[in-house]
Amino acid sequence: MYLRRALRSLSSRTRFFGWRPESFLMEARAGTLLTSSSISKALGFRESFFWGSHGLHDIRYQIDQERNSPAEEPLDPFSLVADELFIIANRLRAMVVAEVPKLESAAEYFFKMGVEGKRFRPTVLLLMASALNMPLPHSVADGVFHSLPNELRSRQQCIAEITEMIHVASLLHDDVLDDAETRRGVGSLNFVMGNKLAVLAGDFLLSRACVALASLKNTEVVSLLATVVEHLVTGETMQMSTTSEQRCSMEYYLQKTYYKTASLISNSCKAIALLAGQTAEVPMLAYEYGRNLGLAFQLIDDVLDFTGTSASLGKGSLSDIRHGIITAPILFAIEEFPQLRELVERGFDNPEDVDVALDYLGKSRGIQRTKELAQEHANRAVKAIEALPYSDDEDIQTSRRALVDLTHRVVTRTK
């Protein structure tokens, strides 16, 4: 039964190469031994290609998942790395110490206990590090990382710290640009201390992140996370300087969303894999997981901006549309009600236009279609985890289950 289901999931992929899994299943029913050579022969291409594309891994992984899933207990991904999150939180507070007390007070504003947030990104990265804790290729296993696993984990924790500093810096700058008054349920830094200090605090966090990044002495990782900062700036500029045509373009919106949200988590996941010495496809699978998780996260954020309350979100609801920022729910609604486009082009400076747009949105499937798109990206993130090289290590499997669980939490969250 397990083999039948696993083969069915491979059907669409293998038909592309002209092979029909039904013949494979008939061979299994007849009692033929399904060796690597017989599989390769049935597929009609080289054995090395088949094994390189995780075909058999998918079968083994899905059989293992289906056998174990009924007995699996619910996971709390955050509790799995709670001890490390505590360590990282303390390190972050130590890393933002500054010579000027006022700058230090500003820089540590969102690192203080009680307002540090859920630490979603560090959680993802620590779980990814555990999920990739596999035997390395021989050429890498003979190197320093194989003999120094504790040092490797420390370096991966550093990626989590760098990612969180970049993230918080982007929040500080965004709040200035958006004239935000609240963040994480408290007054935003720009509202409490002023725009100038908020901008300088964000710059200070980026400089601290750069110092930590340089300490890793890995040029590929440095390049990845430097590109993330470039993407953050590019995405924010795209949001500020759109033409009327771009504002109504879903493609433009998704590209901007990748730059502003998904690039950070995707490239950080890839950095985790690179530091672990993983080569070829594994870093790209880590990247794909982060990319799709990030897009799903932002799509749900855009839904919550319409459906959530200020208290649940920790910031003002309807913030985007009141600032003239057009997101997926409105873009989908435009497809059903083209007259919305005129309101979008006007920019929502008139509060009455906001009310009219909300009325159209309520009549449309804009919210539902955005949730469906978020689910599509969540499913792609799950597939990336399932495509990782097979491991029967219990800790690795638990970490991968936790990463899958996070995709569900992202699309079902209400705040």
Side-chain angles (χ1 to χ4, degrees):
M1 179 178 67
Y2 301 121
L3 182 59
R4 184 198 302 272
R5 293 179 184 173
L7 287 169
R8 192 180 299 130
S9 72
L10 287 173
S11 177
S12 59
R13 183 187 312 169
T14 51
R15 288 179 197 279
F16 178 82
F17 294 100
W19 174 69
R20 297 181 64 84
E22 292 87 347
S23 61
F24 191 25
L25 188 57
M26 289 175 62
E27 189 174 345
R29 284 174 177 164
T32 306
L33 180 62
L34 297 177
T35 63
S36 61
S37 58
S38 66
I39 294 171
S40 300
K41 182 178 179 181
L43 295 178
F45 49 83
R46 295 196 315 274
E47 175 182 338
S48 60
F49 179 87
F50 181 75
W51 300 124
S53 61
H54 9 273
L56 189 58
H57 151 66
D58 284 351
I59 298 175
R60 287 200 309 245
Y61 185 90
Q62 293 186 35
I63 290 174
D64 182 76
Q65 291 295 301
E66 292 192 31
R67 281 177 177 165
N68 292 334
S69 56
E72 287 174 351
E73 296 180 0
L75 277 176
D76 179 1
F78 298 92
S79 68
L80 291 177
V81 293
D83 291 342
E84 284 184 281
L85 289 176
F86 180 77
I87 292 171
I88 287 174
N90 286 333
R91 281 188 196 155
L92 284 168
R93 284 189 279 271
M95 291 170 74
V96 297
V97 172
E99 293 181 22
V100 181
K102 199 165 187 179
L103 177 59
E104 179 178 330
S105 179
E108 71 172 2
Y109 191 74
F110 286 122
F111 293 111
K112 292 183 292 187
M113 294 184 68
V115 291
E116 64 266 68
K118 297 181 292 294
R119 293 286 186 257
F120 174 76
R121 288 157 189 81
T123 297
V124 171
L125 297 174
L126 293 173
L127 289 172
M128 182 63 73
S130 297
L132 301 181
N133 187 24
M134 304 170 291
L136 302 177
H138 292 300
S139 60
V140 179
D142 295 334
V144 64
F145 296 143
H146 182 64
S147 59
L148 296 173
N150 290 335
E151 180 181 336
L152 169 59
R153 191 69 181 194
S154 178
R155 288 160 65 83
Q156 290 172 324
Q157 288 173 351
C158 187
I159 292 293
E161 294 157 9
I162 292 166
T163 298
E164 191 65 7
M165 283 192 285
I166 293 174
H167 172 59
V168 172
S170 73
L171 296 183
L172 297 180
H173 289 164
D174 282 357
D175 285 348
V176 170
L177 292 169
D178 297 340
D179 295 319
E181 296 183 359
T182 58
R183 170 73 68 177
R184 294 180 177 174
V186 299
S188 61
L189 184 62
N190 55 295
F191 183 74
V192 174
M193 296 187 177
N195 285 342
K196 290 182 180 179
L197 197 56
V199 170
L200 291 173
D203 292 345
F204 178 73
L205 291 178
L206 288 175
S207 69
R208 288 294 194 191
C210 289
V211 171
L213 189 55
S215 72
L216 294 174
K217 296 181 172 61
N218 185 308
T219 54
E220 190 170 4
V221 170
V222 170
S223 178
L224 275 178
L225 293 180
T227 300
V228 166
V229 177
E230 176 190 343
H231 285 171
L232 287 169
V233 176
T234 300
E236 193 62 47
T237 305
M238 288 175 70
Q239 184 168 282
M240 292 169 54
S241 57
T242 55
T243 65
S244 59
E245 190 67 30
Q246 290 168 337
R247 295 176 81 200
C248 295
S249 166
M250 180 63 76
E251 181 180 356
Y252 188 88
Y253 159 82
L254 289 173
Q255 185 64 49
K256 178 201 71 176
T257 299
Y258 168 74
Y259 284 150
K260 281 176 61 66
T261 304
S263 175
L264 176 59
I265 189 65
S266 60
N267 284 295
S268 295
C269 283
K270 185 176 181 180
I272 290 288
L274 291 172
L275 286 181
Q278 298 292 341
T279 57
E281 63 186 355
V282 173
M284 285 309 302
L285 289 171
Y287 169 88
E288 280 300 312
Y289 173 83
R291 176 181 178 274
N292 285 293
L293 185 72
L295 289 173
F297 188 96
Q298 186 58 50
L299 285 163
I300 296 301
D301 239 24
D302 293 342
V303 167
L304 293 176
D305 192 54
F306 290 102
T307 64
T309 64
S310 296
S312 67
L313 299 177
K315 58 182 180 179
S317 58
L318 300 177
S319 173
D320 286 336
I321 193 169
R322 285 174 175 161
H323 284 90
I325 298 170
I326 307 306
T327 55
I330 293 293
L331 292 174
F332 281 127
I334 290 175
E335 295 180 12
E336 297 178 56
F337 299 99
Q339 53 268 48
L340 251 175
R341 190 181 184 103
E342 182 181 344
L343 299 178
V344 169
E345 291 175 352
R346 287 209 295 260
F348 295 106
D349 291 331
N350 186 343
E352 292 182 1
D353 285 350
V354 174
D355 293 335
V356 173
L358 293 177
D359 185 54
Y360 280 123
L361 178 61
K363 296 175 183 176
S364 75
R365 294 189 67 250
I367 295 293
Q368 183 59 34
R369 290 184 66 187
T370 303
K371 289 181 178 179
E372 291 169 358
L373 182 57
Q375 186 63 61
E376 286 181 26
H377 284 289
N379 292 343
R380 292 175 191 172
V382 171
K383 288 180 180 178
I385 296 302
E386 292 175 344
L388 290 171
Y390 177 79
S391 172
D392 58 5
D393 182 275
E394 185 176 342
D395 290 338
I396 292 176
Q397 288 191 357
T398 298
S399 297
R400 292 181 183 182
R401 280 177 51 214
L403 289 170
V404 170
D405 180 85
L406 281 174
T407 66
H408 175 71
R409 289 171 181 255
V410 160
V411 296
T412 58
R413 66 194 177 97
T414 57
K415 60 181 182 180

